[in-house]
Amino acid sequence: MSSLFERFSSRENLKKAYKYVLEELAHSSLSVTPINHASITAINNLGDQFFIALEKCLRDEKYVPEKGYFVYIPKDNLGLRPVCIPAMVDRIVYQAILNQRVLGYKIDGQLSDKVCFSNRVNDKEDGDSFLSPYFNGYDAFIKKQKKAFEKGFVWKLELDVQQYYEHISIKKLIDKLQNDFDIKDEKILAILHQQLNAWVEYEDLPKGIPQGPNASAVLSNAYLSSLDKFVEDKLNGKELLCFRYADDIVLMGKTKEAILRATEKIVRFLREHNLVLNEKTQIAELKDSGTIEAMRIMSDYEDNTPEIPEDEFAVIQANVPVVIEKIANNEKVDKLELRQLKYYLKVGREYNLDFLLSLIGIIPLRPSLTILVVQYVAEGRQMLDLFGDTMDTVLIDQALWGVYNNAEVSEWSKFWILKLLVSSRGLLVGGMDKEMKRILASKGQTIFKIVALYYQTIKKQKINIDLVKRAISDSISDVERSWYAFFFLKAFEGERMPVIRDCIEKLLNANSQELNLIGSYLYQSKPQVKIDNIEGPFSSYILQRKKRVVKVDEKKSQMVQDDYYLVRKDALIPVSSPTSMLGVNRKRRLRHTIDLPLPETMQWEKVTLKMKDGLKEVEIWYDGKHLATVDYIQLGFFTGKKQQNPDRSWGFISALSVLSATDITQATAPNMRRMVAVNTGITLKTANVHQIKKTVTNRLRAIFKTDENPFHDNKNYYHPRFTLLPPPALRQEEVWQQGGKLNENLPYEDTELNQEE
């Protein structure tokens, strides 16, 4: 065993790979949540037991990658993008191969920094993300173009490589890693080769790598590295400059002829790699750098989009309804307008009913916008459910249901709409139960069946064990079967022990690592099941490493019935945050820098926030345990990039803490307006207070990783569901309003509040 293979297969490297995969899935633009929920739940519950087993399996050369499952995502030009979903075990191994200290740095260190700006490996190995932040690379990509324009390169042509990931030759990629990047470890390359061959769409055509995994992004850079070198050595110079971001290529020249000559050379070079260019725009002579700068803000690649000045945002916000109307009328929408709409759907906060209905109406016309629209509408529906008219959510649900039943709408769009409907609280749509039964009785429709099974879980309906068995039997791949097998967890309820044992035994002895993973999880959740012979290639590794625990920790397993559907006390499918579990919640701009260790299903009633003296810090407690002491900056409640003063939302929380300890019924909008204004020095209107409360709600949801409302549904005053305590030196709202302190000569230990705690 080489030292490189030992490093790759180590449980430490595998754990790091898993951390990267989870981060990647949380921010993926090709999300198929909740498909991966089953495997993630199993791995999280098995813990070190899983990573020890995978390490041993790799080193014993027993690891075999499994065939992936394909979904097809529509493009606006009527084309389809095939997306491979690898098994979770395979995805972890795939990422482990490309981790920094295995192949990651070796590949990235040899890429051209003058041409390639996308998907660069993160230098910070202790960070959450494997790749450097998207915007860092894209920002450099745009700045290079702007600088080129300022130097006289005023002619521009944008190109992209047609169906790039789908046409990468696996053999040429492996050869390139060996020859161009001097990667000689045959065992690692053999595993990588086996994986990529297992994930091709057609077995007799060994080409294409999976879109979505960050590991693929690094390999895609490796595949185009020779183009980057050719461009840097042969094309870039006094008359022309070329920059690449992923499969997007930008040529900037001082003359039109220079661009045409370079394009011809690039086309010939790429044909040798079985790739062709797809022209995106005509050659244009730029008059200024405005269009370049606009592309910087409205990036197609950036997930956590940058903030822009308020006046620029106001222009975009005003233009969005115009763009939506153009789409609805089948009028031409230019690239910049479409980017503005996508940008707004990521960061906008307009939850007007008519606006949300207009967004729903364009789903059939622009299927590429489906995910952004659904996530925006999901957040808007939540806000209207809390603050809008009672009929608002009904009208939204009816509009979504109408689009879902439109025969011309793509399967991908229907999948996302169904997830939103299933996750919606208080859904009033006739025919939903009938549709779920139709889906579950049908053959195929795997991703829809998974959603339907979660629907039954959320609604606390009985899952028929024969239905799960039939779904497994009808599946084409073991990856599919593992997704269904997870629902045995609920289907076992009320079944006889021989039936349960037979189901688990088949999973444990299957010739599939993913089925073995789910089987091991189910086996350990049913300690009373006795199975003597465990012969699965992966389950034998998992279950031989640790004695099965029969005794259940009653205190640890006490859960609230409303927050979980109980199969047993230690085997749960959490459903308290269905929008998060089903992936329809919009990715929030995370201002906070803390990561609280919270259970998967968080309950606000178990949260306690204790403000510290000075109202700059707070202790965070959960279920009687101290999690962290942090300041308002770490929580994201600040304004200004340099001074970072407490913002109005922090003033709201501070004022509310005082009233929580005295008389919470006094936390009315007029009283809060006066108290927040005294603290911040800003004159407020009552409407401002309501908006601040909405901001606080969203911020707390993000910090505590939940979709649950942190406030009671109270129209008269602001009533938090969590416990909020003021600092000991500040007990009365009158003192707060005057800016003074109470008992300021008493030490902290002597205050009455501290004694009560």
Side-chain angles (χ1 to χ4, degrees):
M1 183 192 306
S2 69
S3 59
L4 186 63
F5 190 89
E6 185 176 5
R7 188 183 310 145
F8 146 67
S9 60
S10 69
R11 68 196 68 167
E12 292 77 19
N13 188 56
L14 295 170
K15 285 181 181 179
K16 178 184 285 189
Y18 180 56
K19 181 186 77 170
Y20 287 152
V21 168
L22 292 182
E23 174 68 13
E24 169 193 307
L25 290 173
H27 297 89
S28 174
S29 61
L30 300 174
S31 172
V32 289
T33 307
I35 296 299
N36 294 309
H37 181 76
S39 300
I40 291 172
T41 300
I43 293 170
N44 289 345
N45 278 269
L46 292 169
D48 284 346
Q49 202 174 346
F50 167 80
F51 295 102
I52 293 170
L54 186 54
E55 175 188 75
K56 189 77 165 57
C57 183
L58 286 165
R59 292 180 178 182
D60 287 351
E61 300 183 26
K62 300 295 184 183
Y63 166 78
V64 179
E66 305 195 38
K67 184 174 177 58
Y69 176 84
F70 276 85
V71 296
Y72 295 88
I73 301 177
K75 301 178 181 179
D76 290 336
N77 61 3
L78 302 181
L80 289 174
R81 175 189 296 175
V83 175
C84 176
I85 307 174
M88 182 57 65
V89 175
D90 292 338
R91 194 155 186 170
I92 293 170
V93 174
Y94 187 39
Q95 177 59 54
I97 291 174
L98 273 299
N99 273 359
Q100 289 95 328
R101 297 289 176 179
V102 186
L103 301 190
Y105 283 155
K106 198 170 184 64
I107 293 173
D108 192 78
Q110 298 181 59
L111 298 177
S112 170
D113 293 330
K114 296 180 179 179
V115 178
C116 175
F117 296 93
S118 66
N119 304 319
R120 303 305 295 265
V121 175
N122 196 345
D123 291 333
K124 299 177 181 178
E125 292 185 55
D126 57 347
D128 292 330
S129 301
F130 168 61
L131 297 178
S132 295
Y134 281 108
F135 190 70
N136 289 359
Y138 196 79
D139 196 43
F141 177 60
I142 296 301
K143 285 180 178 178
K144 285 287 186 181
Q145 295 174 50
K146 188 176 179 181
K147 190 173 181 180
F149 172 80
E150 293 169 353
K151 291 184 177 181
F153 294 83
V154 296
W155 289 89
K156 180 180 178 180
L157 176 63
E158 295 181 12
L159 306 162
D160 78 340
V161 181
Q162 190 178 56
Q163 297 176 318
Y164 174 41
Y165 277 68
E166 300 159 44
H167 287 100
I168 290 177
S169 165
I170 294 174
K171 184 180 184 306
K172 286 188 177 182
L173 174 61
I174 298 298
D175 289 344
K176 190 176 288 289
L177 294 177
Q178 287 178 311
N179 301 322
D180 295 358
F181 292 91
D182 197 32
I183 296 171
K184 303 302 183 185
D185 195 298
E186 294 183 0
K187 283 187 177 181
I188 292 179
L189 288 176
I191 290 174
L192 180 59
H193 203 162
Q194 286 177 326
Q195 287 187 320
L196 296 178
N197 279 327
W199 300 334
V200 296
E201 188 177 6
Y202 304 105
E203 292 182 8
D204 55 341
L205 291 174
K207 65 176 184 177
I209 63 176
Q211 299 184 57
N214 288 335
S216 292
V218 175
L219 292 179
S220 74
N221 273 342
Y223 197 72
L224 282 184
S225 61
S226 51
L227 171 65
D228 297 339
K229 190 174 189 308
F230 171 74
V231 165
E232 186 175 346
D233 294 344
K234 305 294 185 182
L235 298 183
N236 280 0
K238 295 181 179 179
E239 296 297 317
L240 181 118
L241 290 173
C242 178
F243 313 109
R244 181 176 68 82
Y245 193 95
D247 57 351
D248 287 339
I249 299 170
V250 170
L251 298 175
M252 298 193 70
K254 291 187 174 179
T255 64
K256 183 177 181 179
E257 291 71 24
I259 288 182
L260 292 174
R261 288 194 301 269
T263 302
E264 183 179 346
K265 292 178 181 178
I266 290 174
V267 169
R268 289 203 304 266
F269 188 92
L270 287 176
R271 287 182 68 86
E272 297 174 6
H273 290 74
N274 300 323
L275 300 173
V276 295
L277 283 175
N278 181 27
E279 186 172 319
K280 297 172 72 172
T281 60
Q282 298 296 318
I283 298 177
E285 185 178 13
L286 303 179
K287 302 302 181 184
D288 55 51
S289 61
T291 56
I292 297 175
E293 185 64 24
M295 299 288 276
R296 172 183 177 267
I297 300 301
M298 273 69 76
S299 161
D300 276 340
Y301 299 96
E302 175 62 8
D303 175 61
N304 192 18
T305 48
E307 294 185 12
I308 62 175
E310 290 186 10
D311 56 341
E312 292 183 31
F313 182 77
V315 172
I316 294 173
Q317 186 173 27
N319 196 40
V320 162
V322 177
V323 178
I324 293 173
E325 187 175 0
K326 281 186 176 182
I327 295 174
N329 295 331
N330 286 311
E331 298 176 15
K332 184 178 179 181
V333 178
D334 64 41
K335 184 194 304 182
L336 183 59
E337 288 177 320
L338 195 58
R339 284 174 180 261
Q340 287 179 335
L341 175 57
K342 289 180 179 179
Y343 177 83
Y344 187 81
L345 290 175
K346 293 177 183 178
V347 303
R349 290 290 185 272
E350 175 59 58
Y351 302 127
N352 176 277
L353 176 62
D354 291 336
F355 179 69
L356 295 176
L357 293 176
S358 69
L359 284 175
I360 295 170
I362 66 173
I363 291 177
L365 304 172
R366 287 280 180 167
S368 65
L369 295 174
T370 297
I371 297 179
L372 290 175
V373 168
V374 166
Q375 291 178 337
Y376 190 99
V377 171
E379 187 170 295
R381 189 192 184 282
Q382 288 178 353
M383 298 304 289
L384 289 177
D385 187 38
L386 295 174
F387 306 108
D389 186 84
T390 53
M391 283 299 295
D392 289 348
T393 55
V394 175
L395 293 172
I396 289 173
D397 294 341
Q398 289 176 346
L400 289 166
W401 186 241
V403 175
Y404 176 81
N405 286 288
N406 184 340
E408 297 180 359
V409 173
S410 69
E411 293 294 294
W412 179 251
S413 296
K414 288 187 176 184
F415 168 63
W416 275 88
I417 292 171
L418 185 65
K419 291 201 297 178
L420 173 51
L421 289 169
V422 165
S423 65
S424 296
R425 193 187 303 273
L427 179 68
L428 294 175
V429 169
M432 179 61 79
D433 282 339
K434 184 178 178 181
E435 175 65 6
M436 295 297 104
K437 290 177 182 178
R438 183 197 69 77
I439 291 172
L440 292 171
S442 65
K443 281 196 173 185
Q445 290 197 299
T446 294
I447 57 177
F448 288 87
K449 279 187 180 178
I450 299 299
V451 175
L453 288 167
Y454 275 114
Y455 175 81
Q456 289 192 326
T457 302
I458 293 167
K459 296 296 182 182
K460 302 181 180 179
Q461 298 174 0
K462 168 68 177 173
I463 290 182
N464 188 298
I465 194 168
D466 292 328
L467 184 150
V468 177
K469 289 180 180 179
R470 186 168 63 251
I472 292 174
S473 176
D474 292 342
S475 296
I476 297 174
S477 68
D478 287 332
V479 177
E480 285 179 85
R481 296 183 183 99
S482 71
W483 299 336
Y484 290 126
F486 179 69
F487 289 93
F488 276 139
L489 193 64
K490 185 170 183 296
F492 283 158
E493 189 180 44
E495 293 293 335
R496 295 181 303 111
M497 191 56 63
V499 174
I500 297 173
R501 182 173 60 248
D502 179 67
C503 293
I504 295 178
E505 189 170 22
K506 286 180 179 177
L507 295 173
L508 290 176
N509 291 325
N511 190 29
S512 161
Q513 288 148 176
E514 206 74 2
L515 287 174
N516 290 171
L517 169 62
I518 300 300
S520 298
Y521 170 56
L522 295 176
Y523 181 54
Q524 292 205 337
S525 75
K526 289 287 182 181
Q528 65 271 44
V529 173
K530 306 297 181 184
I531 298 176
D532 295 327
N533 297 318
I534 298 177
E535 300 175 355
F538 193 42
S539 54
S540 56
Y541 282 107
I542 295 175
L543 297 176
Q544 74 178 2
R545 301 300 304 180
K546 185 176 178 181
K547 293 182 179 179
R548 297 170 56 210
V549 179
V550 178
K551 184 178 180 181
V552 177
D553 186 341
E554 292 294 333
K555 183 177 180 181
K556 182 179 180 180
S557 61
Q558 285 179 355
M559 300 294 176
V560 178
Q561 185 82 21
D562 290 341
D563 285 342
Y564 290 87
Y565 193 94
L566 299 182
V567 180
R568 342 176 348 102
K569 290 183 178 179
D570 54 345
L572 312 165
I573 300 180
V575 296
S576 71
S577 298
T579 55
S580 295
M581 186 177 66
L582 294 172
V584 296
N585 55 325
R586 190 163 59 150
K587 299 178 180 70
R588 301 183 178 104
R589 184 190 301 278
L590 301 180
R591 291 172 59 89
H592 62 271
T593 59
I594 62 165
D595 185 14
L596 298 175
L598 295 163
E600 188 167 5
T601 298
M602 200 279 301
Q603 300 173 45
W604 282 113
E605 287 73 16
K606 295 184 178 182
V607 173
T608 299
L609 303 182
K610 300 180 182 181
M611 303 295 289
K612 303 282 284 183
D613 286 329
L615 294 171
K616 297 293 180 66
E617 294 182 312
V618 61
E619 294 180 9
I620 301 176
W621 294 69
Y622 186 82
D623 200 16
K625 295 181 180 178
H626 179 250
L627 300 184
T629 298
V630 293
D631 59 29
Y632 66 90
I633 296 175
Q634 291 171 286
L635 292 172
F637 291 100
F638 63 89
T639 181
K641 293 184 178 180
K642 293 184 178 180
Q643 294 181 335
Q644 294 187 325
N645 295 317
D647 62 10
R648 297 185 304 178
S649 297
W650 184 253
F652 182 96
I653 292 174
S654 299
L656 196 62
S657 74
V658 176
L659 297 179
S660 294
T662 54
D663 183 2
I664 192 61
T665 63
Q666 296 300 308
T668 60
N671 286 343
M672 292 293 288
R673 177 181 64 83
R674 178 164 40 86
M675 295 174 73
V676 174
V678 169
N679 182 44
T680 60
I682 301 174
T683 302
L684 299 174
K685 298 179 180 179
T686 301
N688 297 139
V689 180
H690 292 318
Q691 186 58 48
I692 293 170
K693 189 253 185 175
K694 292 180 183 179
T695 301
V696 170
T697 296
N698 286 330
R699 295 259 185 92
L700 290 177
R701 280 172 165 172
I703 292 168
F704 286 89
K705 309 170 190 175
T706 181
D707 296 323
E708 294 293 307
N709 187 4
F711 290 89
H712 291 287
D713 186 13
N714 191 318
K715 305 296 184 183
N716 299 318
Y717 57 92
Y718 303 118
H719 188 188
R721 291 171 57 192
F722 55 92
T723 301
L724 181 59
L725 300 176
L730 197 64
R731 298 292 306 279
Q732 305 290 337
E733 70 271 26
E734 293 87 354
V735 179
W736 163 259
Q737 293 166 20
Q738 297 166 10
K741 290 185 177 180
L742 193 70
N743 298 334
E744 57 186 5
N745 295 322
L746 290 177
Y748 180 83
E749 296 80 5
D750 294 338
T751 59
E752 180 182 351
L753 183 65
N754 190 54
Q755 293 170 4
E756 292 173 356
E757 295 169 10

